[in-house]
Amino acid sequence: MFGSMLEEFQRMNKRQFFYQVLSFGMIVSSALMIWKGLMVVTGSESPIVVVLSGSMEPAFHRGDLLFLTNPTDEPVRVGEIVVFKIEGRDIPIVHRVLKVHEKENGTTKFLTKGDNNRVDDRGLYAPGQLWLTPRDVVGRAKGFLPYVGMVTIMMNEYPKLKYAVLACLGLYVLIHRE
């Protein structure tokens, strides 16, 4: 199997190989431009996220793909679903706003909780942090596609699956090449 792939690469002349590399580069750069464009339009550093746990069931299930916006001019409200990052953690959390405290000086603090959790999120926040602020918010959920993100979860939980998918894509490209 891999021997035949190697033979295919050896039979390619330099122009065909350069064309393949250039095509791959254009696909990658197009995806990056679309991502950056979504970031600008939505105002969110991550306009699309995957729900990784069941803490928001029944509203969202593990593997749902969320579309986010982050309007800085609109205040955070109770009941709104926000995606936030905690200092020292890489993975953002998707939970609902439980309480909001707005002070007279214009500052806002809020508390979150997963719909399927028994207690609020203070145990998830950074040590000593009791409330979130608007700068902790990555975005606010505006829509979702159910279970579309399961592909991402499977690839992260089963790394060998990534290689199998890449190998299949490589074979497909070699077989269906002009």
Side-chain angles (χ1 to χ4, degrees), residues 134-153:
R135 74 170 187 268
D136 296 318
V137 175
V138 173
R140 303 174 195 193
K142 294 298 178 191
F144 76 102
L145 286 174
Y147 303 109
V148 173
M150 283 307 287
V151 174
T152 304
I153 291 173

